[in-house]
Amino acid sequence: MSQPQPIDVPETVEQHPEAGQKPHDVRGKSQGQLVRQRFFGNTGAVVSLAVLLFIVVLSVTSLGIGPIPGWWKWGPDATGTVLDGGRPTLSLLPPSLGEHPFGQDNLGRDLFAMAMQGTQYSLIVMVVVGLVAGIVGTVIGGLSGFFRGWTEAVLMRLTDVIIIIPLVILAALLGRLAISWVRSHGLPTFATVIALGLLIGLASWPGLARLVRGEFLTMREREFVDAARLAGASSGRIIFKHILPNTVGVITVNITLLMSSAILLETALSYLGLGIQAPDWSLGRLISENQTAFATRPWLFWWPGVFIVAIALTINFIGDGLRDAFDPRQRKFNPKRAREIGEGTDEMHAPTSGTEAASRGATEQAGR
């Protein structure tokens, strides 16, 4: 009896665990390259990043920052003659900014300049809150989830004490203390904004700490952590090399949520008169100052609101894109690609003629 001949087995769908991704797409690529590829493959995140960068560049270049002057001719406190009832001069066809693109208030101040200053301050507060709350929440949650025992008991009771206090009340109290301290020492407005962001960040970390603690509790029981312990890895190496990289997705998306809520919180505090105050402008203070003119001159209310919503939404979409990029479990199934692979597999398995079918049957019979 003749020996059965080896049969070439074509690639099947099982050899493509993720239909929608070609095998050569991941060969020879580092983790950073894969993260960038996934992020820039997310249309919503890329568009949101472009919009956020446009807002940042517009606010910084129009008024300048620090000693660097901007290209816009009006300052946020410069008064002038009210033109055409203060209506916006922005035109899309033909494209033109005009003299006052966002309009003027009843004192003739340019709303575009005031909105750009408010956007600058709101963005600074947002970034500072994200950094402070992200660092504090990750450290406290990570330490309590990894070491357990008295470390977890002390840190979680501290978290419980802070989390039961309403965030608006705590942030208002800390914000008032920050502004009073900065102004009593004669520091510039930039220091006021930084201090406000620091103290709001110190009030915003408990939710992130509890989430990070839960992730660390799950990860510390996984097999790869046990293998690292058996290999003699220290606690610091296990945290930074094994557990923390696997929680980056959760930490990132929650920091972005904190940043978007921070800009809304800063807006609320300024609206209540407990945040950035005169002679400086924030988006919340603009809404507060112009709320009585909503029925007669609604553009004074619209533009600050548009920037608040745009910044909050773009931050949320960017956070979703980063989560999908860092977490390999978030890769999306591509039904079109799966169908193409299935059809290709069927064609490779199907006999092309009766002779080939007979030959294959004889080979299988010889194998038996």
Side-chain angles (χ1 to χ4, degrees):
M1 182 181 295
S2 61
Q3 295 296 325
Q5 299 296 322
I7 301 174
D8 293 333
V9 179
E11 288 185 320
T12 62
V13 179
E14 288 77 13
Q15 291 172 294
H16 293 273
E18 294 182 49
Q21 183 175 15
K22 298 179 182 180
H24 60 77
D25 288 343
V26 297
R27 289 179 185 168
K29 291 186 178 180
S30 65
Q31 181 66 23
Q33 290 173 327
L34 291 174
V35 168
R36 286 193 297 270
Q37 178 182 340
R38 296 180 199 130
F39 179 80
F40 287 107
N42 189 319
T43 305
V46 173
V47 172
S48 298
L49 180 61
V51 172
L52 182 61
L53 288 177
F54 172 76
I55 294 174
V56 172
V57 171
L58 181 65
S59 63
V60 171
T61 59
S62 59
L63 296 183
I65 186 168
I68 304 175
W71 51 265
W72 188 239
K73 55 186 174 182
W74 300 106
D77 294 319
T79 58
T81 304
V82 179
L83 304 176
D84 191 23
R87 297 180 182 278
T89 60
L90 180 66
S91 174
L92 298 179
L93 293 174
S96 173
L97 290 178
E99 193 73 11
H100 301 284
F102 290 178
Q104 297 172 279
D105 63 2
N106 56 353
L107 297 179
R109 291 175 295 194
D110 182 64
L111 183 61
F112 177 78
M114 292 188 288
M116 291 301 101
Q117 186 182 71
T119 302
Q120 281 189 16
Y121 291 162
S122 297
L123 288 172
I124 292 172
V125 170
M126 179 188 71
V127 172
V128 174
V129 169
L131 290 175
V132 174
I135 293 173
V136 175
T138 301
V139 170
I140 291 180
L143 292 178
S144 60
F146 184 81
F147 291 105
R148 304 295 303 272
W150 65 268
T151 303
E152 181 184 23
V154 172
L155 294 179
M156 285 297 101
R157 297 300 77 76
L158 173 64
T159 303
D160 293 338
V161 169
I162 296 178
I163 207 170
I164 62 174
I165 304 175
L167 182 58
V168 175
I169 297 177
L170 184 58
L173 175 62
L174 295 177
R176 171 60 66 181
L177 293 175
I179 293 174
S180 300
W181 184 85
V182 169
R183 291 191 172 181
S184 65
H185 288 75
L187 297 177
T189 302
F190 186 78
T192 303
V193 178
I194 294 294
L196 182 63
L198 285 172
L199 293 182
I200 292 178
L202 291 176
S204 305
W205 57 265
L208 177 62
R210 294 172 71 91
L211 289 171
V212 173
R213 171 181 169 270
E215 289 292 316
F216 269 67
L217 287 174
T218 302
M219 291 294 176
R220 72 190 299 270
E221 305 298 333
R222 299 288 293 273
E223 292 80 0
F224 62 88
V225 175
D226 293 336
R229 287 197 184 99
L230 293 175
S234 62
S235 297
R237 182 174 179 83
I238 293 174
I239 291 174
F240 288 103
K241 295 292 185 180
H242 299 283
I243 299 181
L244 193 59
N246 287 282
T247 60
V248 168
V250 173
I251 294 173
T252 301
V253 72
N254 282 278
I255 287 178
T256 56
L257 291 175
L258 281 175
M259 293 171 69
S260 62
S261 62
I263 195 169
L264 298 177
L265 180 59
E266 184 275 329
T267 300
L269 293 179
S270 298
Y271 179 82
L272 297 173
L274 300 173
I276 298 172
Q277 300 175 356
D280 303 306
W281 293 99
S282 72
L283 296 176
R285 182 171 173 245
L286 279 173
I287 293 177
S288 177
E289 293 287 334
N290 298 312
Q291 61 178 335
T292 56
F294 179 76
T296 57
R297 290 172 295 169
W299 56 86
L300 297 177
F301 194 90
W302 286 346
W303 290 109
V306 166
F307 279 95
I308 292 171
V309 172
I311 294 172
L313 286 179
T314 54
I315 289 295
N316 284 334
F317 281 120
I318 291 171
D320 289 340
L322 289 174
R323 179 196 59 194
D324 296 343
F326 279 108
D327 192 348
R329 294 170 296 180
Q330 298 293 330
R331 296 179 185 175
K332 297 180 180 180
F333 177 76
N334 190 334
K336 181 179 179 181
R337 178 61 183 165
R339 195 180 307 114
E340 292 176 354
I341 293 177
E343 291 174 355
T345 305
D346 293 340
E347 292 177 358
M348 297 176 71
H349 279 292
T352 57
S353 64
T355 305
E356 183 177 344
S359 176
R360 181 172 299 177
T363 304
E364 292 176 356
Q365 183 66 29
R368 297 191 187 95

